[in-house]
């Protein structure tokens, strides 16, 4: 039972949009995590916070978690939303789509193929735009992941996170969000599938300030040695389906199985953004094992996004 009796004071985010992880300042990120924990423990205190607000949810790609948790978050905060699925900016110019939407809604949540689609929507719409996954970033996932790390370890500072697999959108956002909070981040990917060098450079700048350590390697055993949590994601992201056969071959040595987990700390948590492909990036034994926190992560999508919406719109 929560002991909270009133909603905590909400700090407004300074950036107009959340197009990428670094649109949040370190202080805003810390406040968001605190607010998310309060929203999780006392959701009713925030049940009217978005009264009268309407959002548009635009998805170019499939989704279970992101789409439903945004819809639920908006409705549980007292707002409402409309959903539109399909390509953005194909039937008419993207800049026209953006300038239609900002006459109707208070904010736009968009999942796109290209990061530039998110950036263009934000440039052309006066309503705030939230990145619900692009080819480069998945900032809302990283918020839930770090909330889960806080719940599991008390604080992200000094926690050893190992990401094994594709240097993709999920890896980029986790690297940026974890390192600025002082978590050590190791990633092991096959040659040619590592994280984007400009994202790594940004993370290294953040780590220099926070004291976090970043390890980029091709060796999954090196990445997981001493890890408190081992994270993986699909080998083939949405939009890369034509590369699936080649990727399955290249990533096979990067499967998170009991053997690899045995090289991490004995109580190492297993993390995955989901959806997962069992017997590709993770074995059933690991994802169903006692140290798997994947459904905590999924639950925390809701609470972290509520906190984000409150800080952007309440
Ligand atoms: N983790 C995540 O973003 O899941 P969906 O693709 O189902 O939204
Ligand atoms: N990297 C995956 C994440 C899905 C939530 C993708 O982009 O398909």
């Amino acid at each position: 039972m929560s002991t909270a009796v009133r909603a905590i004071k909400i700090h407004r985010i300074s950036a107009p949009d959340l197009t990428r992880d670094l649109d949040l300042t370190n202080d805003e990120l810390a406040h968001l995590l605190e607010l998310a924990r309060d929203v999780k423990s006392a959701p009713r205190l925030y049940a009217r916070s978005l009264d009268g607000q309407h959002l548009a949810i635009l998805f170019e790609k499939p989704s279970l978690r992101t789409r439903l948790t945004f819809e639920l978050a908006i409705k549980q905060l007292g707002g409402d939303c409309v959903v539109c699925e399909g390509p953005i900016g194909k039937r008419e110019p993207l800049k026209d789509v953006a300038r239609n939407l900002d006459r109707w809604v208070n904010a736009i949540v968009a999942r796109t193929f290209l990061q530039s689609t998110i950036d263009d929507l934000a440039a052309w719409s006066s309503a705030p735009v939230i990145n619900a996954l692009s080819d480069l970033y998945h900032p809302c996932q990283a918020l839930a992941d770090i909330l889960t790390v806080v719940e599991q370890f008390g604080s992200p500072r000094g926690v050893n996170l190992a990401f094994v697999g594709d240097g993709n959108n999920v890896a980029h956002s986790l690297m940026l969000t974890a390192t600025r909070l002082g978590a050590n981040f190791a990633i092991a990917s096959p040659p040619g599938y590592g994280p984007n060098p400009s994202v790594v450079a940004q993370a290294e700048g953040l780590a220099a300030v926070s004291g976090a350590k970043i390890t980029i390697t091709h060796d999954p055993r090196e990445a997981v040695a001493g890890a408190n949590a081992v994270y993986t994601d699909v080998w083939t992201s949405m939009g890369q389906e034509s590369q699936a056969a080649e990727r399955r071959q290249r990533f096979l040595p990067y499967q998170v199985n009991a053997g690899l987990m045995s090289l991490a700390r004995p109580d190492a948590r297993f993390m995955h953004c989901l959806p997962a492909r069992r017997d590709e990036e993770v074995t059933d034994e690991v994802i169903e094992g006692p140290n798997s926190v994947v459904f905590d992560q999924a639950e925390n999508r809701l609470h972290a996004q509520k906190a984000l919406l409150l800080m952007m719109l309440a």
Side-chain angles (χ1 to χ4, degrees), residues 73-314:
I74 292 162
K75 289 175 181 173
Q76 290 176 11
L77 293 172
D80 207 350
C81 56
V82 288
V83 180
C84 184
E85 291 176 12
I88 304 168
K90 193 168 172 197
R91 184 163 165 258
E92 59 189 304
L94 195 146
K95 61 184 181 181
D96 289 1
V97 174
R99 287 177 295 174
N100 275 265
L101 290 172
D102 76 8
R103 299 293 177 107
W104 304 326
V105 297
N106 300 95
I108 300 166
V109 177
R111 169 168 286 193
T112 62
F113 284 95
L114 301 174
Q115 176 64 28
S116 61
T117 304
I118 299 279
D119 293 339
D120 290 347
L121 278 174
W124 284 98
S125 161
S126 56
V129 172
I130 297 173
N131 181 345
L133 180 146
S134 69
D135 55 349
L136 200 53
Y137 301 115
H138 197 357
C140 298
Q141 180 68 50
L143 296 175
D145 294 342
I146 291 297
L147 180 58
T148 308
V149 166
V150 171
E151 289 175 345
Q152 293 293 323
F153 302 106
S155 158
R157 184 157 297 279
V159 171
N160 297 322
L161 291 179
F163 190 101
V164 179
D166 195 17
N168 62 16
N169 42 12
V170 171
H172 290 156
S173 286
L174 186 63
M175 184 186 320
L176 292 167
T177 304
T179 55
R180 68 201 301 204
L181 294 172
N184 303 313
F185 187 85
I187 178 166
S189 317
Y193 295 91
N196 181 306
S198 75
V199 175
V200 174
Q202 283 181 312
E204 280 169 347
L206 299 167
V209 175
S210 72
K213 183 172 174 228
I214 298 179
T215 306
I216 314 278
T217 177
H218 299 312
D219 181 0
R221 303 163 72 94
E222 181 191 348
V224 304
N228 298 103
V230 177
Y231 200 124
T232 191
D233 183 15
V234 290
W235 294 338
T236 300
S237 284
M238 292 178 278
Q240 298 173 331
E241 288 77 8
S242 65
Q243 306 167 22
E246 190 188 343
R247 283 173 168 269
R248 261 198 300 277
Q249 276 208 319
R250 299 293 300 276
F251 282 87
L252 207 53
Y254 295 81
Q255 183 186 70
V256 177
N257 50 37
L260 190 66
M261 286 300 288
S262 74
L263 304 176
R265 299 223 177 154
D267 61 347
R269 312 303 195 273
F270 172 72
M271 300 182 73
H272 194 306
C273 56
L274 304 178
R277 293 193 73 119
R278 284 164 172 79
D279 293 326
E280 288 199 11
E281 75 273 7
V282 61
T283 57
D284 196 62
E285 183 184 15
V286 169
I287 196 169
E288 300 291 350
N291 291 336
S292 173
V293 295
V294 299
F295 299 110
D296 293 315
Q297 292 172 260
E299 180 189 340
N300 283 336
R301 296 295 307 274
L302 177 69
H303 310 301
Q305 286 159 199
K306 278 185 176 175
L308 176 68
L309 292 167
L310 290 169
M311 290 177 69
M312 294 184 86
L313 299 173

